[in-house]
Amino acid sequence: VPHKKEWTYISKDGTRIPVELTVTSYHDEAGAVAGFMGMARDLREEKARQAQWEQERALLVALAELPEGPRLALW
């Protein structure tokens, strides 16, 4: 059964990289654990999109809470 968890990798230059690490065990013919395989997925773009979405949502909430009166068209 694969196990997924978010981790932070650190590159040689010190850059922190958020990743989703999936680790799966593999077994020999007798069914004993023979080793593990891991795969990391870079989450930087996903995190940036999420931050942008949260910022836009906060702006829309703030606009919705403005008192009645002339409104700025957003589209």
Side-chain angles (χ1 to χ4, degrees):
V1 176
H3 177 75
K4 291 183 181 184
K5 187 173 180 181
E6 190 172 317
W7 290 83
T8 300
Y9 281 6
I10 301 175
S11 68
K12 287 182 180 182
D13 68 2
T15 303
R16 293 179 169 273
I17 303 169
V19 298
E20 177 186 72
L21 180 63
T22 303
V23 178
T24 304
S25 60
Y26 60 93
H27 303 81
D28 62 18
E29 295 85 21
V33 174
F36 297 91
M37 178 175 59
M39 184 181 332
R41 182 172 66 94
D42 188 336
L43 297 176
R44 286 179 285 191
E45 286 183 15
E46 187 175 319
K47 295 276 187 183
R49 279 192 304 272
Q50 179 70 23
Q52 180 68 31
W53 180 86
E54 289 172 4
Q55 185 178 23
E56 291 170 2
R57 182 181 181 284
L59 175 61
L60 290 173
V61 168
L63 288 172
E65 293 173 351
L66 287 175
E68 288 300 319
R71 300 256 176 151
L72 174 66
L74 296 176
W75 46 87

